[in-house]
Amino acid sequence: MAQPVAEDAVSHTIRGACPHDCPDTCALEVTVGQGRVLKVAGAADHPPTAGVLCTKVAHYPERIHHPQRLLHPLRRFGAKGPGARFERITWDEALDTIANRFRSIVASHGAESIVPYSYAGNSGLLGYGSLDRRFFHRLGAAQLDRTICASAGAMGYRATVGASIGFDPENVVDARLILLWGSNSVVSNLHFWRLAQEARRRGARLVAIDPCRTVTADRCDQHIALLPGTDAALALGLMHVLIRDDLLDHDYIARHTLGFAALAERVRAFPPELVAEICGIDAPIVEQLAHAYGRTRPAAIRCNYGINRTAGGGMALRTIACLPALTGAWRDPAGGVLLSTSGNYPVDTAALERPDLMPQPSPRVINMSTIGHDLLHARPPIQAIFVYNSNPLAVAPQSREVVRGFARDDLFTVVHDLFQTDTADYADILLPASSHMEQLDIHKSYGHLYIQLNQPAIAPLGEALPNTELFRRLASRMGFTESCFADSDEDLCRQAFDWSDPRLAGLSWEQLVRDGHARLRLPQPYAPFADGGFPTPSGKCEFFSRMLADQGLDPLPDFIAPREWRRSPLARDFPLALLTPPARNFLNTSFANSPRFLAQERSPSVLINTGDAAARAIADGSEVRIFNRRGEFAARAVVSDRARPGVVVATSIWWRKLSPDGRNCNEVTSQALTDMGGGATFYDCLVEVAAACQDNAS
């Protein structure tokens, strides 16, 4: 295995993989010399990356060698919060402090009073969940339900198709119709966009379905600007027309689906005229899109997770996932639907995380999307929280409660990060994390079909440690003697997959070390459900889901209106629907402290339709307040018809302490959860916008 380059060595290149929460999971070529990362390029021999990187990762040396990198363990003295002061301590002092405090909490309050809080700040299988999970399982700490991004859509999709499996993105070049449904691919799925462009050059028609006219919508043949949270209604309207006009593959339906008669009866209630009124579009658009979808082969639907961030988000993805089975689009390698490819990978989660170490009965579960409420109101109270791979003060909904929770004097908080984030300002112990370029890891993807190895390119800077080594040392301090805590990072990489699975047939560890990546052993071209074989209980695409029925949920596709809906009484005071999609130069809060990208983003902004702005006497470039009863934040108005009437768009996620008023968009978002999967409802949010000088009407 390649080793980090020595301090005095000449420059050379190490193979790596991008660890950020993005479907592209790019293969990297990292040039290093004299202990520094000199250059980062996309690997040309990795088909999904094809030598191309987003601008964020192309400038990665600036992140690795940022002057504000945390390099040593720190202990806070004085008050928590912005401006918090820290003093340097040794790793021994830090680990002893954590271990002693944990022992005291376990003895007096029980291990369930300790909560780990992490997500996909590092998406490598080791960095995301391995020794950390073993440690908290062995400790008996509360379990964290990691719901903040994808849980609702994943559950709805699985209820229909059976697993997070869809068409192979590499095949989409042969599609003749591509629906980019809730996917601003140019910003958040760049390498899929490259393939979609090639399909268009070959004659495909591209349709963007999005409330905002994004840069992706600009480059498509058609943009359908539906209202937020109405995606399921549009899908039901398309089904209504497909069935009414017999644009169906009857053979596929008969052999490979379950519940068609019940579905047909359900969608009778969603004629185009009603759907158009719900979605805020014209009825002919529904008719025309349904006819195009029913008459074009191959037809591909690329969804993204923005769809699942409303009250009915799980049902919305479930409903969209029904469409390809009606028309037989799954028969074509370039047809079907894609939300995620992650279900193709034979990850051995049990081997990595060792849930068998947990006490019985299992500890309580804390939903990460309601962390603000739970820090204040959970019973028994949360006594300690250990944050890594996440920045909840900035990313969790309803920030006012999150801040109040973390500000508790009696809450023992540990944060492990590369930088002193908003959350780090509330830490009692602040620990330096290594970057992915300083550690070994192994990767799956949710946007392609290649397994990848990330080799360390340089030695960890300062005293930084990866998650694995941190929890290895902490387990030793706690006296955990199980042999699994001695596993090396290479041991963990070897345990990460079930290497006996046919999808890895013939693939060796040595080959992965040599080449850096390898495609799963799936057919080429890959059409996962061309002949049925859905990994559902019935083996069919389930229009009717017994699994959902058994959970007390509607077993058939339906439309669930947003909680904060334009027809609700709340809309009288707060008539604008707020969306908070990623800023082009940020990835959640990663990169949001980069001088380069801060300069490009300029300041927090909110996109508002020209008519909505005029009605509020808001001028382009003026400072405005976006508010509701949960809170408010400040932004610069961008007046444009890119936002449809009734919708405002605040690109995110700014660090609170780098925002003009010390707040960000999550000041106004809600901790209410989705219909299934316990997901966050970031895009189910009504607000009002006013010039900064006006009084708050809330």
Side-chain angles (χ1 to χ4, degrees), residues 637-662:
V638 178
V639 178
S640 168
D641 62 359
R642 285 186 171 278
R644 60 159 294 149
V647 177
V648 290
V649 182
T651 52
S652 60
I653 303 173
W654 284 76
W655 285 22
R656 293 167 59 86
K657 60 185 173 183
L658 298 181
S659 300
D661 63 344

Side-chain angles (χ1 to χ4, degrees), residues 656-678:
R656 293 167 59 86
K657 60 185 173 183
L658 298 181
S659 300
D661 63 344
R663 292 172 287 197
N664 70 14
C665 60
N666 282 318
E667 199 76 13
V668 300
T669 56
S670 168
Q671 292 179 91
L673 301 178
T674 52
D675 53 332
M676 57 183 81

Side-chain angles (χ1 to χ4, degrees), residues 68-381:
Q68 294 175 354
R69 271 285 300 269
L70 291 173
L71 299 177
H72 307 284
L74 302 171
R75 175 170 52 209
R76 180 180 51 80
F77 64 93
K80 293 183 176 184
R85 294 178 295 167
F86 292 85
E87 61 185 359
R88 182 174 170 181
I89 59 176
T90 67
W91 266 108
D92 284 340
E93 289 176 297
L95 294 170
D96 285 342
T97 300
I98 297 167
N100 290 336
R101 191 66 178 269
F102 278 8
R103 289 192 194 96
S104 174
I105 290 171
V106 171
S108 58
H109 300 281
E112 288 185 322
S113 296
I114 300 171
V115 175
Y117 193 100
S118 69
Y119 199 64
N122 185 331
S123 293
L125 292 176
L126 273 59
Y128 177 76
S130 59
L131 271 170
D132 59 307
R133 309 298 171 90
R134 296 180 185 185
F135 174 83
F136 289 112
H137 288 159
R138 172 64 177 79
L139 182 64
Q143 297 182 73
L144 185 72
D145 196 5
R146 291 172 171 84
T147 61
I148 205 163
C149 177
S151 60
M155 182 174 173
Y157 191 88
R158 286 196 301 269
T160 307
V161 173
S164 294
I165 293 172
F167 63 79
D168 179 353
E170 291 184 75
N171 293 335
V172 82
V173 294
D174 294 322
R176 288 297 171 265
L177 175 67
I178 302 174
L179 307 186
L180 293 159
W181 202 321
S183 179
N184 185 8
S185 303
V186 174
V187 170
S188 58
N189 195 185
L190 179 63
H191 293 81
F192 182 86
W193 177 248
R194 177 177 59 83
L195 299 170
Q197 285 181 302
E198 175 59 27
R200 193 180 189 201
R201 283 190 286 270
R202 300 182 186 187
R205 184 165 179 266
L206 273 55
V207 179
I209 303 173
D210 197 302
C212 180
R213 198 178 83 239
T214 62
V215 291
T216 302
D218 279 341
R219 303 176 192 182
C220 289
D221 299 288
Q222 182 182 9
H223 172 218
I224 300 174
L226 76 176
L227 286 162
T230 63
D231 304 272
L234 178 57
L236 290 160
L238 298 180
M239 291 189 221
H240 177 102
V241 176
L242 291 171
I243 294 171
R244 182 198 69 195
D245 295 351
D246 197 24
L247 300 172
L248 304 174
D249 185 329
H250 291 283
D251 176 69
Y252 195 93
I253 291 169
R255 294 198 294 130
H256 303 309
T257 73
L258 179 70
F260 173 72
L263 175 70
E265 182 60 30
R266 171 62 57 86
V267 303
R268 282 168 56 87
F270 290 91
E273 295 75 19
L274 174 63
V275 167
E277 199 279 327
I278 292 171
C279 297
I281 58 178
D282 296 328
I285 291 175
V286 182
E287 296 271 2
Q288 292 160 10
L289 183 63
H291 282 208
Y293 185 74
R295 291 171 174 162
T296 306
R297 295 277 297 269
I301 303 173
R302 177 62 167 118
C303 298
N304 213 332
Y305 287 104
I307 296 170
N308 86 162
R309 293 177 186 149
T310 64
M315 184 61 82
L317 263 303
R318 162 162 169 65
T319 304
I320 294 167
C322 292
L323 286 164
L326 287 175
T327 63
W330 285 118
R331 295 186 189 273
D332 303 310
V337 65
L338 175 64
L339 176 64
S340 170
T341 62
S342 62
N344 291 284
Y345 293 84
V347 177
D348 195 340
T349 304
L352 275 177
E353 300 184 2
R354 294 295 303 276
D356 58 294
L357 295 170
M358 281 191 291
Q360 295 299 325
S362 298
R364 68 172 170 176
V365 177
I366 298 293
N367 188 323
M368 71 184 305
S369 296
T370 59
I371 191 62
H373 176 273
D374 291 338
L375 284 172
L376 296 172
H377 303 294
R379 293 294 178 268

Side-chain angles (χ1 to χ4, degrees), residues 439-668:
Q439 62 199 41
L440 180 69
D441 214 328
I442 195 166
H443 291 253
K444 64 176 183 177
S445 171
Y446 63 97
H448 59 67
L449 299 174
Y450 290 76
I451 183 174
Q452 294 183 80
L453 191 66
N454 178 76
Q455 299 275 19
I458 59 173
L461 299 183
E463 296 180 273
L465 294 179
N467 292 345
T468 49
E469 181 60 19
L470 164 59
F471 287 102
R472 200 176 282 122
R473 293 186 186 186
L474 195 52
S476 176
R477 278 300 198 288
M478 293 294 294
F480 298 166
T481 59
E482 289 82 358
S483 61
C484 67
F485 291 107
D487 287 344
S488 68
D489 287 358
E490 182 174 331
D491 292 333
L492 294 170
C493 285
R494 291 175 178 269
Q495 295 165 15
F497 291 99
D498 176 3
W499 297 91
S500 67
D501 190 283
R503 290 168 290 186
L504 296 179
L507 177 60
S508 68
W509 172 255
E510 291 71 24
Q511 177 187 349
L512 198 58
V513 170
R514 182 189 72 233
D515 298 337
H517 55 81
R519 188 180 187 275
L520 294 173
R521 300 316 197 222
L522 294 169
Q524 289 185 290
Y526 177 49
F529 308 127
D531 296 309
F534 292 88
T536 55
S538 66
K540 299 181 177 183
C541 178
E542 296 195 350
F543 300 142
F544 180 95
S545 170
R546 173 54 57 190
M547 178 191 78
L548 293 181
D550 290 345
Q551 296 180 39
L553 300 172
D554 193 332
L556 289 169
D558 202 359
F559 167 61
I560 299 173
R563 283 191 187 87
E564 301 194 3
W565 180 226
R566 64 192 175 105
R567 297 176 178 176
S568 69
L570 186 67
R572 288 196 293 268
D573 294 327
F574 305 105
L576 301 173
L578 174 68
L579 297 177
T580 54
R584 187 163 191 167
N585 292 294
F586 302 161
L587 203 166
N588 299 320
T589 64
S590 295
F591 305 98
N593 65 329
S594 161
R596 174 188 297 274
F597 299 131
L598 284 169
Q600 292 182 24
E601 292 294 330
R602 294 176 52 197
S603 65
S605 63
V606 62
L607 188 66
I608 183 168
N609 182 266
T610 51
D612 291 330
R616 292 161 176 80
I618 291 171
D620 185 55
S622 64
E623 292 301 311
V624 297
R625 294 166 38 258
I626 302 93
F627 60 92
N628 59 22
R629 295 192 179 110
R630 288 181 288 271
E632 68 172 78
F633 67 101
R636 169 176 47 88
V638 178
V639 178
S640 168
D641 62 359
R642 285 186 171 278
R644 60 159 294 149
V647 177
V648 290
V649 182
T651 52
S652 60
I653 303 173
W654 284 76
W655 285 22
R656 293 167 59 86
K657 60 185 173 183
L658 298 181
S659 300
D661 63 344
R663 292 172 287 197
N664 70 14
C665 60
N666 282 318
E667 199 76 13
V668 300

